[in-house]
Amino acid sequence: MLTRPQVYRPEATLLDLGDGFFDPVAPADFPETRLRFRNDRAAAQIGVDTLTDDEWTRHFGRFEPLPGTLPQPFALRYHGHQFRNYNPDLGDGRGFTFAQMRDDQGRLMDLGTKGSGQTPWSRAGDGRLTLKGGVREILATEMLEALNVPTSRTLSLIETGEHLHRGDEPSPTRSAVLVRLNHSHVRIGSFQRLAYERDEAGLRKLVGYTLRNLYDEDSDDPARLLDLVVARTARLAARYMAAGFVHGVLNSDNINVTGESFDYGPWRFAPTWDPAFTAAYFDHQGLYAFGRQPEAIHWDVMQLAVALRQIVESEPLVAALDQFGPRYQPEVTQAILWRLGVRPRDPDTDRDLVQATERALRTSGVGIDRFFFDAFGGNLSETYAEPWTEVRTALAGYEPRKDRSHAYWSGEPCSMLIDEVEAIWAPIAEHDDWTLLHAKVAAIRNLGDALAE
């Protein structure tokens, strides 16, 4: 039962767009619904943390409508570039949006799914999610949230009792349905579809919807929207880098217009500062490698500009796009200073420190998480010799933004490398033992508390 109506603020603004933007769908009728993970911390921000486990499972496993919001699930329509190749046959193929609400900051949020069954956009897919894929998404979203990356949050994971066959993991494997909490599922690809179909009225409607509902701006100006998206995505790219995170599939249908990361498939955290490190085994050209992520995101935002060109002159769009680099540079500086745990001084000094840090990380091979753990607060020990001397000297002039009194700093750095992901999954697969997952989530949240302002 929803007992806190002052927190629970349902919305249904998606309906304002009209049925040309989505398709009504029905969720799969799963053989079972076994609750595996509920994120009460995220749930409290939208007022659903008071649900009992049975109510939770009915809403987030059987998709019984939440009161006052969308009457049924809707699969969104979109296109997108996948590894720079345009694909007009996309759309929500194994997910849907089934609720909207305001969070405790007043932001419009979507509840979307992964693995909830087939839709008109499933193509040859079964519309399902493996349980391992759901566990991996929990770990990705929790770690990114702790590291101050704008990200969707995994609200729920429910095992669904089906046996799935996949080519990239041992089969048959267990199935699940995941619910994510997102500040919108409107993607760059949502605009690309409308441009592809020459739907200028639809483009204008989506621009207005996005500005009013996702940016709180009373405007219908496409160039203003692009300018805002440039700023948000430059911040996202910068924070990926500071986190050492590699998304793996930065296609234009995976970049939403609020600059919030989501949809985690072959993600990885880079063990060292290796610009060529890739996450997806199928990224043979390294298009979405660690060091190329800002370029990839900028390219995706360029596709938004191409779509918007149908309804606005090119000059203000080009001007907005040209600001990606100038906005990315201070954002990456700020993000790395935040992770170093020091307060900014002046732009030139800060930039020099960040560039020195990146050079030393790249040439030394020191682990990313190890270094930021040791350097937090600006006091890097003399065990960091060459090539770290410049960094150590520069850090000495900075004021810490937070001390190291939190218990986290008395232990070892919390990382999320691929070997640990596999180690967490193994007891779940072999013995249905979820102990390591729950312990890791607690450790990640402890890291987040230690880093937070």
Side-chain angles (χ1 to χ4, degrees):
M1 180 180 297
L2 299 172
T3 59
R4 294 194 292 155
Q6 72 277 16
V7 178
Y8 179 70
R9 298 169 55 195
E11 293 276 1
T13 61
L14 185 66
L15 301 178
D16 296 343
L17 286 171
D19 57 12
F21 290 81
F22 46 71
D23 296 276
V25 294
D29 184 13
F30 298 116
E32 66 179 49
T33 48
R34 190 173 181 186
L35 180 57
R36 292 302 196 175
F37 177 79
R38 59 177 283 172
N39 187 343
D40 280 321
R41 184 170 68 171
Q45 296 177 351
I46 54 172
V48 299
D49 54 313
T50 56
L51 294 172
T52 67
D53 282 354
D54 285 344
E55 291 168 334
W56 185 282
T57 302
R58 290 204 307 271
H59 289 302
F60 304 139
R62 299 295 179 188
F63 300 100
E64 178 182 302
L66 285 159
T69 180
L70 300 176
Q72 66 184 107
F74 295 100
L76 303 182
R77 301 177 183 179
Y78 49 85
H79 292 179
H81 278 88
Q82 298 185 304
F83 288 84
R84 305 276 168 97
N85 296 306
Y86 193 77
N87 187 345
D89 298 318
L90 297 177
D92 281 339
R94 58 171 174 169
F96 48 62
T97 300
F98 72 96
Q100 291 183 298
M101 56 204 65
R102 298 282 169 179
D103 69 4
D104 56 3
Q105 301 175 48
R107 298 185 305 165
L108 180 66
M109 306 297 289
D110 289 350
L111 290 183
T113 63
K114 195 172 184 178
S116 50
Q118 291 179 312
T119 79
W121 309 104
S122 297
R123 293 176 286 172
D126 60 13
R128 296 332 197 240
L129 171 69
T130 68
L131 183 62
K132 183 178 183 181
V135 168
R136 284 174 48 84
E137 187 137 342
I138 292 170
L139 293 170
T141 54
E142 290 284 336
M143 194 70 177
L144 289 173
E145 183 182 1
L147 293 175
N148 204 32
V149 176
T151 180
S152 65
R153 281 159 294 164
T154 303
L155 184 70
S156 172
L157 183 69
I158 292 174
E159 190 168 358
T160 53
E162 295 179 314
H163 301 287
L164 305 180
H165 290 268
R166 295 291 187 266
D168 56 354
E169 59 180 282
S171 296
T173 189
R174 292 150 72 179
S175 61
V177 62
L178 179 144
V179 174
R180 69 165 70 100
L181 181 63
N182 239 85
H183 185 33
S184 175
H185 284 84
V186 176
R187 312 147 193 261
I188 289 174
S190 305
F191 291 86
Q192 289 181 281
R193 179 185 73 87
L194 297 166
Y196 180 89
E197 295 176 354
R198 302 287 179 182
D199 184 356
E200 294 186 7
L203 275 169
R204 290 191 177 92
K205 180 181 282 189
L206 189 56
V207 167
Y209 173 91
T210 302
L211 283 167
R212 284 188 290 275
N213 292 292
L214 306 180
Y215 283 100
D216 296 322
E217 296 225 350
D218 186 16
S219 172
D220 295 288
D221 182 3
R224 175 59 178 160
L225 174 61
L226 182 65
D227 185 63
L228 292 165
V229 173
V230 165
R232 290 283 187 89
T233 54
R235 181 185 67 176
L236 174 63
R239 294 193 185 179
Y240 273 172
M241 299 304 291
F245 181 72
V246 187
H247 183 282
V249 191
L250 291 174
N251 296 330
S252 61
D253 58 299
N254 283 340
I255 304 294
N256 75 11
V257 293
T258 62
E260 185 179 66
S261 179
F262 76 110
D263 201 11
Y264 300 101
W267 64 268
R268 292 201 185 180
F269 283 88
T272 61
W273 200 276
D274 176 6
F277 180 84
T278 57
Y281 68 87
F282 45 82
D283 187 3
H284 304 296
Q285 305 302 316
L287 183 64
Y288 299 144
F290 175 51
R292 296 184 68 183
Q293 290 182 119
E295 169 201 339
I297 291 173
H298 186 207
W299 192 92
D300 287 329
V301 178
M302 288 172 62
Q303 308 320 303
L304 175 60
V306 171
L308 294 175
R309 178 63 186 85
Q310 288 198 14
I311 56 173
V312 71
E313 294 299 320
S314 61
E315 185 175 356
L317 299 176
V318 171
L321 281 175
D322 285 346
Q323 289 302 304
F324 188 93
R327 283 174 163 157
Y328 170 78
Q329 290 302 328
E331 286 285 0
V332 78
T333 298
Q334 182 181 21
I336 290 178
L337 290 179
W338 181 89
R339 198 164 180 198
L340 285 167
V342 297
R343 300 188 184 281
R345 293 175 60 187
D346 65 78
D348 291 340
T349 303
D350 296 342
R351 185 175 59 252
D352 290 345
L353 169 61
V354 166
Q355 290 176 349
T357 298
E358 290 177 345
R359 284 195 301 271
L361 279 167
R362 187 169 57 248
T363 58
S364 69
V366 171
I368 294 172
D369 297 313
R370 176 83 260 174
F371 164 69
F372 283 116
F373 180 92
D374 292 342
F376 189 85
N379 186 19
L380 192 61
S381 78
E382 292 186 2
T383 59
Y384 279 80
E386 290 296 338
W388 292 100
T389 304
E390 182 182 2
V391 175
R392 194 175 67 250
T393 301
L395 275 173
Y398 279 80
E399 177 187 350
R401 69 169 176 84
K402 193 172 183 180
D403 64 30
R404 295 175 66 101
S405 60
H406 192 282
Y408 171 76
W409 303 111
S410 63
E412 287 294 311
C414 180
S415 297
M416 185 44 63
L417 303 181
I418 189 62
D419 289 347
E420 186 171 7
V421 175
E422 295 297 328
I424 289 169
W425 169 248
I428 297 173
E430 296 166 11
H431 314 296
D432 203 33
D433 181 353
W434 293 73
T435 306
L436 288 181
L437 175 68
H438 293 304
K440 189 62 182 183
V441 169
I444 293 169
R445 292 182 178 183
N446 191 47
L447 161 66
D449 291 343
L451 290 175
E453 296 296 341

